[in-house]
Each structure stands twice: as structure tokens, then as C-alpha cells.
Amino acid sequence: MPGTVLVGLTGGIGSGKSTVSQMLAARGAIVIDADAISRSLTASGGDAIAAIADQFGHGFITPEGALDRVRMRDLAYNDPGAKQRLEAIIHPLVGQATQQQASNAIESGKPCIVFDIPLLVESGHWRSRLHRVMVVDCSEEIQIERVMARNGLPRTDVEKIIAAQARRIQRLAAADIVIHNQGLSFDGLRSEVAQLAGCFGL
């Protein structure tokens, strides 16, 4: 495939998507992490802070100048429209930063850009912009077990998070490449990623 290969990487919580992303980065892929960009926008001094203060009030900004995530989460729980209003501020800024990082990587002649996008399937507009969509997959029960062990969350909380994401069947339907990260050792996963990396010019 000529030029820079554009790969979208997604997977449900606990699937191992972040691990695969790190493995691809270690092999030379430029990884653009939508979540990391979003966090930086709402951190102290982030580009979204002024607009959030205008929309929701300064009470939603911490003394350090960051988004008060706990207060915003409580508001969004009681007011579904609040989540949409926050996303209307953050998503365009994430899009701009993503585009800028991608343009820089393409201009530098990088062989592969991996867009790490948790909501790739839900967003609807990403598919046409990518050469390949890669999904890291495992059963819902494995997701629950991993997140409970990793984050110390009760099962009901993890089930709610999973229910808010795209269904497993939707992610698989959108995939060009599926990594079945279930029953795989760490070395086995790394071996699979290495094989795919070769297809991406890495």
C-alpha cells in the first residue's frame, strides 16, 4: 500500500487495546491517542477549559484550572444533555489535534499511523478515512474479569461501562483485522502484533 498506512484501532474496555497500541508504537507506528488528547484538553490550562467554564460555569473548573471530572460526571448522570454539550466542545478540538498530528506524521514520511479510538465504531465518520480497522476482541466475561481485577470496580459498574459502548458484534462487523486476545499469552499477543506490523510497513 503506497504512502502512509492509516489504521484505526479499537476494542471494548478490558480487551487489551492499549497493550496492542503500545506494541505497535514500539515497532515504529505513530500512535495518535484520542483519549490522551481529550484528557490534555481538559487538564489544567487545556484548550477546552475556557469554553467549559463559559458553558457550565466556573464551578466545574478545579482551583488548579482543570475540569472537575467528578462534578461533571455527576451532572451528566442526572442531565443527559450535559454530556452532549461537553462533547460538542471537546470533540471538534480532538479532531483538530488528531488531524494536525496525522499531517505531521505523513509529511515526515512515517510508514504507519495508528489512530487509537475507543469510540471508532460509534462515531460513524472514521471508517472512510482509514485504510484498515483493527479490533482487539475478547468475550464480555473476560472484559469484566480484567477490568474488575485492574480497576477494582464492582461487576455492576463494569457491566454499565460495557453497555454504554458499541456492542461486540458491531465492532467485529466494522473490522478488517481482528486480534482475538483471549487465551493468548503476552508473548503470543506480541507475536500476532509483530506479524500485522509487517503488513503495515513496520
Side-chain angles (χ1 to χ4, degrees), residues 65-88:
L67 171 66
D68 187 330
R69 294 180 181 280
V70 173
R71 187 167 184 191
M72 183 59 73
R73 195 178 301 122
D74 290 343
L75 175 65
Y77 183 78
N78 294 300
D79 175 9
K83 183 171 183 282
Q84 279 83 16
R85 281 154 48 211
L86 180 64
E87 288 174 348

Side-chain angles (χ1 to χ4, degrees), residues 88-164:
I89 295 169
I90 293 175
H91 284 184
L93 294 172
V94 171
Q96 291 170 21
T98 298
Q99 185 57 51
Q100 185 60 56
Q101 290 184 27
S103 296
N104 292 344
I106 291 169
E107 288 172 12
S108 300
K110 301 298 183 184
C112 177
I113 301 173
V114 174
F115 297 89
D116 184 339
I117 309 167
L119 302 180
L120 187 152
V121 174
E122 293 91 326
S123 71
H125 67 83
W126 270 101
R127 187 65 190 85
S128 61
R129 300 163 61 182
L130 301 166
H131 295 124
R132 296 283 185 271
V133 170
M134 181 189 304
V135 171
V136 186
D137 179 62
C138 65
S139 71
E140 187 172 301
E141 186 56 36
I142 293 293
Q143 286 182 263
I144 292 168
E145 290 174 7
R146 286 175 178 167
V147 178
M148 286 174 63
R150 181 184 71 195
N151 296 9
L153 293 174
R155 184 183 185 93
T156 52
D157 284 8
V158 182
E159 288 173 340
K160 286 178 186 175
I161 294 170
I162 292 173

